[in-house]
Amino acid sequence: MKIAVLPGDGIGPEVMEQAVKVLQAVSGQGFEIELQYAAIGGAGYDAAGDPLPAATLKLARAADAILLGAVGGFKYDSLPRPMRPEQGLLRIRKELNLFANLRPAQLYPELADASTLKPEVVAGLDLMIVRELTSDLYFGQPRGIHVNADGEREGYNTMRYTESEVRRVAHIGLQIAMKRNKKLCSVEKANVLETSELWREVVIETAKQYPEVELSHMYVDNAAMQLVRNPKQFDVILTGNIFGDILSDEASMLTGSIGMLGSASLDQNRKGMYEPIHGSAPDIAGKDAANPLATILSAAMMLRYTFAHDALADRIENAVRKTISAGLRTADIHTPGTTRIGCAAMGDAVVAAL
Ligand code: IPM
Ligand code: MG
């Protein structure tokens, strides 16, 4: 199995080191891995003057799956937009057609205290956000900043979805719902936006092929409210790129820390890029303080979704659970009475639990 490893910036390299340790610990058991490293984001800009160097894209295309750390850093914030680290991420998603972004939010019972919500609101939480990842406001043309007829500067972006783009991600959401509790809530803003009106129509049409799935629809403002009011009402949330970006950060906080959640971005053939949903956290980079569990759990998702090695994915997830049960915590999830450890020690603990 050829895996392209793109550590990126900030805490990316240190959390990646831990995930690689874990992959190496399970490899050789019916699963041989070949890791190939390349630069992306700020690291890509530093190495090749491009946040997505041509060599990195080539490697990613040739790989079976991609494991990514994080991109971004203060020192790149003043670069022209096309050179910024985030563009490396957006371009690789688009180039590889990774249109379906799966962001699970699961609460480990021991971490109920780490959430800012009441334990009874979040206990047992297990939801999956399926976010469309290669269209919408993020990529819609026209876009830009111009001087308008009144001589005033004006910024504009375009929200757009074609029906085929909605249909293919709706299929993924519905298929995932079939494997879970068969409930799918499609989130949009159809009371105001035509793009959302079409989204809703296409989701309804597509869902006819999955009669067992209980389909509901919710406006995004209400969904944002319901996520903190009663998040356990949701099983699978299907939504567009911009709404999914916002709602998935909100959902991560229900679980106590954004440092716990992995993600998968899949193409039509289940080739995927796997990454923690957190960012590069430049303020704590290099201090051995980051939580590597989101990246380790992303590696488990890779085994599950791209390599169909469910047993190995289960083993890694169980090892993470054991480590948490043993009271080991990085700073972001540390509560009184638990043992605070660093990033590398957390990686070692998961390997030991394996
Ligand atoms: C995410 C991130 C990215 C996004 C940024 C870094 C471009 O917030 O993966 O959610 O907006 O998609
Ligand atoms: Mg985001």
Side-chain angles (χ1 to χ4, degrees):
M1 320 280 177
K2 266 199 198 134
I3 302 171
V5 180
L6 315 180
D9 310 319
I11 59 171
E14 46 196 298
V15 293
M16 184 60 78
E17 210 181 304
Q18 309 317 313
V20 165
K21 267 187 206 167
V22 169
L23 279 175
Q24 276 161 345
V26 296
S27 87
Q29 301 160 24
F31 174 74
E32 301 292 338
I33 54 171
E34 183 188 327
L35 304 174
Q36 293 173 312
Y37 285 76
I40 194 165
Y45 178 77
D46 288 340
D50 184 347
L52 181 60
T56 302
L57 182 58
K58 196 171 162 209
L59 189 84
R61 279 194 204 286
D64 299 310
I66 301 142
L67 194 59
L68 182 128
V71 300
F74 305 131
K75 72 179 229 214
Y76 309 104
D77 284 348
S78 52
L79 289 172
R81 184 169 295 278
M83 291 297 135
R84 289 192 207 152
E86 292 76 11
Q87 291 301 312
L89 188 58
L90 297 174
R91 276 169 51 207
I92 197 170
R93 288 172 178 171
K94 189 77 176 168
E95 290 282 350
L96 299 182
N97 212 6
L98 305 171
F99 65 88
N101 183 213
L102 279 40
R103 297 189 163 190
Q106 252 183 32
L107 183 83
Y108 291 78
E110 297 89 344
L111 295 185
D113 286 342
S115 174
T116 48
L117 276 86
K118 293 192 188 112
E120 64 268 27
V121 174
V122 290
L125 178 85
D126 179 3
L127 69 88
M128 174 71 93
I129 296 185
V130 179
R131 166 190 177 195
E132 196 289 330
L133 202 59
T134 54
S135 186
D136 200 357
L137 269 182
Y138 273 64
F139 296 95
Q141 295 289 345
R143 63 188 296 160
I145 301 174
H146 69 173
V147 177
N148 69 14
D150 299 326
E152 202 187 5
R153 280 181 308 153
E154 183 178 18
Y156 55 99
N157 292 86
T158 310
M159 177 177 271
R160 53 195 317 159
Y161 266 115
T162 63
E163 48 182 329
S164 57
E165 286 170 335
V166 179
R167 199 172 298 120
R168 64 183 184 175
V169 74
H171 275 295
I172 303 278
L174 288 154
Q175 284 158 15
I176 287 175
M178 281 300 290
K179 290 197 188 150
R180 294 173 49 104
N181 295 324
K182 302 188 178 166
K183 266 176 65 183
L184 182 110
C185 180
S186 168
V187 171
E188 26 67 354
K189 188 74 184 169
N191 51 345
V192 178
L193 306 171
E194 285 79 2
T195 316
S196 288
E197 189 184 321
L198 178 73
W199 175 282
R200 187 182 286 213
E201 279 174 30
V202 175
V203 170
I204 291 173
E205 279 163 32
T206 312
K208 291 197 178 122
Q209 294 171 45
Y210 304 81
E212 285 174 58
V213 176
E214 182 193 317
L215 174 67
S216 61
H217 307 273
M218 199 179 274
Y219 299 140
V220 62
D221 49 348
N222 186 22
M225 179 176 75
Q226 296 299 334
L227 267 177
V228 287
R229 193 186 75 87
N230 175 20
K232 284 185 273 180
Q233 70 188 279
F234 297 110
D235 178 23
V236 180
I237 291 178
L238 171 69
T239 191
N241 204 346
I242 186 74
F243 299 151
D245 178 46
I246 299 165
L247 294 180
S248 60
D249 267 31
E250 189 188 5
S252 78
M253 269 299 126
L254 305 172
T255 71
S257 172
I258 198 165
M260 294 296 300
L261 302 185
S263 75
S265 306
L266 305 176
D267 74 2
Q268 201 65 63
N269 307 312
R270 298 284 169 122
K271 172 170 175 169
M273 181 162 85
Y274 297 83
E275 53 176 313
I277 83 159
H278 62 66
S280 59
D283 50 324
I284 58 163
K287 296 184 178 156
D288 192 39
N291 185 346
L293 294 178
T295 313
I296 291 171
L297 291 168
S298 300
M301 290 183 83
M302 175 173 80
L303 294 176
R304 190 180 302 286
Y305 290 103
T306 293
F307 297 122
H309 257 302
D310 288 52
L312 282 184
D314 288 344
R315 271 188 66 203
I316 295 176
E317 287 166 6
N318 287 333
V320 168
R321 219 163 280 139
K322 241 172 138 176
T323 311
I324 296 287
S325 303
L328 302 176
R329 303 280 192 279
T330 42
D332 55 317
I333 48 175
H334 179 246
T335 46
T338 60
T339 311
R340 181 167 165 171
I341 59 172
C343 179
M346 186 59 101
D348 293 337
V350 174
V351 170
L354 275 171

